[in-house]
Structures are given as C-alpha cells and as structure tokens.
Amino acid sequence: MTVVTTERLILRDWTDDPADLARIYDIYSRPDITRWLAVSPGLPMTDPAQAAERLRIWRDRHAADDGRYGTWAIEVRETGQVAGTVLLKPIPGVDEAVLTEQIETGWHLHPDSWGHGYATEAAGALVAREFAAGGPEVHALVSPGNEASMAVCRRLGMAHVGQRTDWYGGELLETFVVRAPDA
C-alpha cells in the first residue's frame, strides 16, 4: 500500500516479496547503518531469513495504528529501487514497554542512496502528513556522532534541543523537534 508520494519517492508498505526482503537484509546487515540505531536487538542481521522476522515485527508494532504510523519502504519513482526505510511512530519510553505521546520520524538508507536528499524528502512528507492529521510536533532521535542524520534534521527545520535520555531504555540521544506551524 502506498502511504505518501512525493515528487521523486513513493513511501509504501514493505512487503514479503523476495526483492523487498533482500533489500531489508542488505540494509540491516550493514554495521555502517546499524551502529546508529538506538536499542536494536538482532542487528546487524547475520542471516537473510531475519528480514522476514524484522518485517513481522514492524507489522505487529503498527497493526493498531490504522496506517497513521508505520515503518515504510522509500521507493525511488524513477528507478523502482528501494532507497531505504522511513518511519513515523510513537516513541518507546525509558522502560521500552510503554509508548509515549511523543512521535518520532527516522530514516535508514542504503549507502547507495546516500547523498540524494531522499531521507529529507521522505521524512519531510511524513512530518507534513502528521501535522495535517493534527499532531503538534515530531521528534527525531539521533545517536551522538551521526552527523549525516543531524544534518537531515536541520534540513527538516528541526531544532536541536540537546541530548536526552527520556526514551529507548534511557539511551543518550541527540534530540531534535519540529512543531506544527499552528501549534
């Protein structure tokens, strides 16, 4: 299912199609990507079969969200290639079992898709969608040292509000936020 389209991208559900599963594995088996992901058990992946399990986790996590929140594929319209993942979801609290009221956007792109502005375009579309649905603000939580993701946050117009430990088991994260224009 397509969630959002932009000039260059289609944000859609990940599927259990072999090409999608192979791309999930290709992205999440890379230490250069997974080292930046907060509290991510099972990463980096070491077996292609883990991609199907990751897809099941995403589907289960968002089953009750009626499509408002999710973890989606970023497909490049011109080529049909999946550049990576974009997400919009309630942030897990310090105990990780309970979701907070705060909403997070994030992105995980394959290295062959870095430097094209896809993360900014995809996350920007989801932020706009969340504001249109009445959300007052959206956060981005970035591992310290991940300068590329912090640059995306700035391009999204997000303000850096410092390092915080409010979420994901108390992990120290650079925190960015953007508020809805009318909030």
Side-chain angles (χ1 to χ4, degrees):
M1 178 181 95
T2 298
V3 177
V4 175
T5 58
T6 69
E7 181 180 333
R8 299 182 302 155
L9 306 173
I10 299 168
L11 309 184
R12 63 165 176 81
D13 289 336
W14 281 104
T15 70
D16 56 7
D17 179 272
D20 270 9
L21 292 176
R23 193 63 166 173
I24 290 170
Y25 178 73
D26 192 14
I27 293 167
Y28 293 99
S29 64
R30 295 173 173 273
D32 54 339
I33 294 171
T34 61
R35 72 184 184 126
W36 300 115
L37 304 184
V39 187
S40 299
L43 296 179
M45 293 179 185
T46 57
D47 181 335
Q50 291 173 294
E53 177 62 15
R54 182 64 45 173
L55 178 59
R56 185 196 61 74
I57 290 168
W58 292 337
R59 286 178 175 168
D60 289 352
R61 176 184 299 150
H62 302 296
D65 294 334
D66 295 324
R68 181 165 178 177
Y69 304 118
T71 302
W72 298 290
I74 304 168
E75 183 177 313
V76 179
R77 291 168 72 122
E78 186 176 310
T79 64
Q81 179 169 341
V82 174
T85 299
V86 65
L87 60 89
L88 186 74
K89 66 183 182 84
I91 307 171
V94 172
D95 69 1
E96 296 185 66
V98 177
L99 298 176
T100 68
E101 296 289 318
Q102 288 88 24
I103 303 302
E104 169 189 20
T105 189
W107 45 87
H108 317 137
L109 273 69
H110 191 282
D112 66 13
S113 297
W114 292 350
H116 298 280
Y118 298 148
T120 305
E121 189 172 330
L126 289 181
V127 168
R129 181 176 177 258
E130 177 64 8
F131 291 161
E137 64 184 21
V138 175
H139 292 79
L141 307 176
V142 180
S143 293
N146 188 344
E147 297 299 330
S149 280
M150 287 189 265
V152 171
C153 293
R154 290 183 193 95
R155 285 193 293 277
L156 289 168
M158 295 182 141
H160 184 240
V161 293
Q163 293 184 331
R164 293 181 52 184
T165 57
D166 302 48
W167 309 285
Y168 288 107
E171 185 168 341
L172 181 70
L173 296 165
E174 299 289 352
T175 303
F176 292 80
V177 66
V178 62
R179 290 181 176 76
D182 57 350

